Amino acid sequence: MRLFFNQTSPYARKTRIAVREFGLEQQVTCIAIDPWAEPDELTTVNPLSKVPALQLPEGSVVTESDAIVAALLGRSANTSIVEDEASPNARRSRAALCQGLIDASFGSVIERRRPVQSQWADWVARQERAVSRTLSTVEATFDLPMERFDAGDISLACALGYLDFRLPHLSWRSARPRLETWFAKVDQRPSMIATRPC
């Protein structure tokens, strides 16, 4: 299998962490690529020129990070990472909210890359409010056991890492001690260390 990724993408980071947590390093070749350059190597696999993109052995391609994580899970003998919770609906709900956290953060970053005169300040502010509300909800309501690191936890860890990397002015740790403690621990997992953006 071939996994196309960009080092700074929080979406791609989710899939790269899953490769390691699922024990699939020997089955997946990770290929660093710049999707903005629209290289032929990527566009022939994913005409959208987006990462992550996973090319399966039979040639079919899976895009979107959650779909890729599910495809990787189906090829792994280690299912404890996403199956250790009694309620799959609760797990899916956590994962979806954390995916939305990544989306709002990423949307804010992309908007800020437009020429200053073209930026939509209200849109950026709305995304940042969404990030703040979501983090407060996670702080107040999420179960954050250190022994679990499932798909929702991976998404949350990637979102927090992305905030540190791209939006440090949001100071997400402020008034969120449970999240700060949890992230300090999970950020030391080998899969997290190996996939840090730079």
Side-chain angles (χ1 to χ4, degrees):
M1 292 181 281
R2 298 196 302 163
L3 177 63
F4 294 87
F5 76 96
N6 181 272
Q7 185 73 26
T8 62
S9 166
Y11 302 101
R13 189 180 189 193
K14 281 174 55 177
T15 63
R16 294 168 63 219
I17 289 170
V19 166
R20 288 164 173 79
E21 295 286 346
F22 290 164
L24 295 172
E25 298 98 319
Q26 301 306 311
Q27 298 180 45
V28 180
T29 300
C30 293
I31 301 168
I33 206 154
D34 178 8
W36 294 96
E38 302 177 8
D40 291 343
E41 185 179 15
L42 176 61
T43 58
T44 56
V45 171
N46 181 7
L48 295 171
S49 196
K50 291 175 64 177
V51 293
L54 178 68
Q55 186 173 39
L56 300 174
E58 60 272 20
S60 60
V61 177
V62 182
T63 61
E64 304 301 328
S65 57
D66 287 337
I68 291 173
V69 169
L72 292 170
L73 173 62
R75 295 176 180 264
S76 171
N78 177 14
T79 59
S80 62
I81 191 171
V82 294
E83 294 186 346
D84 62 354
E85 191 173 312
S87 171
N89 287 335
R91 183 180 65 240
R92 291 186 194 103
S93 177
R94 280 190 303 106
L97 187 64
C98 293
Q99 178 65 34
L101 181 58
I102 292 174
D103 292 341
S105 303
F106 188 76
S108 174
V109 169
I110 293 300
E111 183 64 25
R112 288 176 185 273
R113 290 188 177 172
R114 290 161 51 95
V116 174
Q117 66 274 15
S118 301
Q119 289 180 19
W120 187 3
D122 288 345
W123 171 257
V124 172
R126 184 179 191 276
Q127 299 310 306
E128 292 186 355
R129 289 194 303 272
V131 167
S132 181
R133 285 193 305 268
T134 302
L135 290 172
S136 294
T137 295
V138 171
E139 172 75 14
T141 66
F142 270 31
D143 175 26
L144 297 170
M146 295 298 180
E147 66 277 6
R148 184 192 70 206
F149 197 58
D150 65 11
D153 298 317
I154 291 172
S155 291
L156 178 58
C158 288
L160 297 177
Y162 190 69
L163 289 172
D164 281 346
F165 180 59
R166 292 292 195 202
L167 299 169
H169 67 278
L170 294 183
S171 301
W172 67 262
R173 291 170 177 81
S174 179
R176 299 182 185 102
R178 291 180 65 240
L179 264 181
E180 182 177 13
T181 299
W182 178 84
F183 185 66
K185 185 75 171 178
V186 302
D187 195 39
Q188 296 306 308
R189 293 178 75 93
S191 63
M192 291 288 291
I193 294 171
T195 60
R196 282 182 181 153
C198 58

